[in-house]
Amino acid sequence: MKRQAFSIGRRLSWQLMIQAALILGCLCAGIYWATSVQFENAQNRLLANKVNRLSDFAQDYLRAGDNRFLDLLSQNAQNRSRMQLELNHADGRVFYQDLPGEALQLSQHRREKTFELAWPDRSHPPLKGRYLLDVTEDVQMMNAIAMILVLATVLGAITVGFSTFLIVRRGLRPLHALAEQTNNITTRSLNARLYMQEPVEELQPMVDQFNRLMERVERAYLQLEAFNADVAHELRTPLAALIGQTEVLLSRSRSMLEIDETLQSNLEELQRLSEMVNDMLFLSKADRGAHARRGKPVSLAAIAMQVGEFHEAAIEECGVQLAIEGDVTTSVDEALFKRALSNLLDNATRFASKGSTVRICFDKTADNYVIVTVENSGTTIVPENLSRLFDRFFRIDMARHGSRFNHGLGLAIVAAIARMHSGWTKAESDNGLTRISFAIAEPA
Ligand SMILES: Nc1ncnc2c1ncn2[C@@H]1O[C@H](COP(=O)(O)OP(=O)(O)OP(=O)(O)O)[C@@H](O)[C@H]1O
Ligand SMILES: [Mg+2]
């Protein structure tokens, strides 16, 4: 099941919003706590002040049997806004208490301070006092601050989330532009490449890689098109010949001998066509990643001898000698190896100058490759042809292009066989000496 695509913008917005809410929440909680400590300190200072002043007052006026102290306390009660005072004897009897109405009625939000008030003449045990401070206003203030802080946290987080979404959407614009460009690429416009009006550092590697991929796809596509054209071209001539010969044969009555000759010639043509189709099928199998089936280790020089014997007639006909130099024993796909060597030897004999020697050399590299080189002297191949030698249907001599015997697939097959053995190919031509090599990786 295809997983639903997620949005980078939405995901980032949520993540940053939660992060902002957490940070702002912690910050606001800190502010709230610091403010409430400030309030508490102010309340405590106020109560401590009151107690100090009452002590001073008691020093001056608190005498046994003297009511002046109590009178003064009652008078002052009017000024004690938001506060209540209570003074009791040590045995619990009430000594003084602000009457309700004299001071503000206290709500349930109150702060209390207890203290002892000594008689200046120490005639009685100290009075037990209690100040009650109504802190409703402070509580209301703290509630308002809490509301503001919560609101700031929520609004801050929403703003961060929303602005992130907008920023990400804006930031992803080049990506949308690239998607649109990619969307417009068709098989008719494989030469199109992605570009960014304003290069983006993070996207540039992806764009470069995509463009390189497009280059490879375009090349492969063009090769495929050329290959199709080449195949059609290669098939057209022999098919036309076959049709022509058959038509001539049918145009009037023929002797058995004439029919025999035409059929024989047609059969040869059909066999060549069949060989070409088989070669193409082999190449397509190799393209699809077929691997060589390696057998037991064998002497490659011995295989070369067998291939040489197979080509003996052609070698003699061309008036050249064959030399095999060096030997390596390794495991290869014998049938494929023979086919590759046979193709190289066929070319070398055909293109070697009369009386020269065609050499097959075996060598081993330090990185475990066996290199098979077939060398012949003849005409030097110019570099631009050298680089195309392994292309399908490529033949240097255009006059021989329509050759009925050679289709230009031999070296392409050598390259495919090398690839099937995890190897590579190389062609060199200098001073009339042409060396075509293929390497095969030795099994680990
Ligand atoms: N040893 C060589 N010396 C000079 N030219 C060569 C040599 N080997 C190959 N070539 C050139 O490379 C071309 C391609 O070779 P390749 O073996 O692929 O095809 P071919 O020999 O023409 O046909 P096929 O191998 O299918 O019968 C040849 O047509 C020839 O022009
Ligand atoms: Mg060939």
Side-chain angles (χ1 to χ4, degrees), residues 265-334:
S265 142
N266 281 5
L267 180 64
E268 280 171 20
E269 200 67 72
L270 285 168
Q271 273 166 345
R272 276 194 291 274
L273 279 177
S274 158
E275 264 171 36
M276 191 177 103
V277 170
N278 282 340
D279 282 352
M280 277 159 44
L281 277 176
F282 176 80
L283 285 172
S284 110
K285 246 177 32 193
D287 283 348
R288 276 179 281 137
H291 277 281
R293 288 191 202 150
R294 299 180 190 249
K296 288 199 187 98
V298 280
S299 152
L300 299 185
I303 295 184
M305 295 272 277
Q306 290 171 25
V307 175
E309 275 165 27
F310 184 75
H311 285 265
E312 208 173 302
I315 291 173
E316 254 173 45
E317 200 184 309
C318 294
V320 292
Q321 282 87 48
L322 176 65
I324 298 170
E325 290 171 9
D327 187 17
V328 175
T329 300
T330 185
S331 78
V332 291
D333 185 320
E334 223 175 295

Side-chain angles (χ1 to χ4, degrees), residues 181-236:
Q181 286 177 36
T182 318
N183 204 25
N184 291 335
I185 298 177
T186 64
T187 47
R188 304 226 156 272
S189 57
L190 283 179
N191 59 345
R193 298 288 177 268
L194 296 188
Y195 67 93
M196 284 185 291
Q197 266 164 358
E198 197 186 343
V200 180
E201 200 185 314
E202 287 83 354
L203 293 181
Q204 199 58 49
M206 200 196 81
V207 169
D208 291 343
Q209 272 185 22
F210 183 87
N211 285 343
R212 278 198 291 275
L213 175 73
M214 280 303 294
E215 249 158 54
R216 290 198 293 273
V217 170
E218 189 190 6
R219 218 176 308 134
Y221 192 80
L222 289 178
Q223 261 173 15
L224 200 70
E225 275 190 339
F227 182 67
N228 287 344
D230 283 340
V231 170
H233 191 79
E234 289 298 324
L235 290 177
R236 200 173 54 176

Side-chain angles (χ1 to χ4, degrees), residues 324-393:
I324 298 170
E325 290 171 9
D327 187 17
V328 175
T329 300
T330 185
S331 78
V332 291
D333 185 320
E334 223 175 295
L336 293 183
F337 188 82
K338 275 184 183 163
R339 193 171 178 181
L341 197 56
S342 183
N343 279 341
L344 291 183
L345 193 57
D346 174 61
N347 286 350
T349 346
R350 264 170 46 226
F351 294 103
S353 29
K354 237 183 167 68
S356 64
T357 303
V358 171
R359 278 172 225 286
I360 302 177
C361 312
F362 295 100
D363 214 348
K364 230 172 129 170
T365 63
D367 50 351
N368 284 340
Y369 279 99
V370 176
I371 302 179
V372 185
T373 306
V374 178
E375 179 190 290
N376 72 280
S377 46
T379 326
T380 306
I381 305 173
V382 292
E384 65 258 37
N385 286 333
L386 212 54
S387 60
R388 298 189 56 202
L389 231 48
F390 294 95
D391 288 356
R392 287 159 203 198
F393 296 114

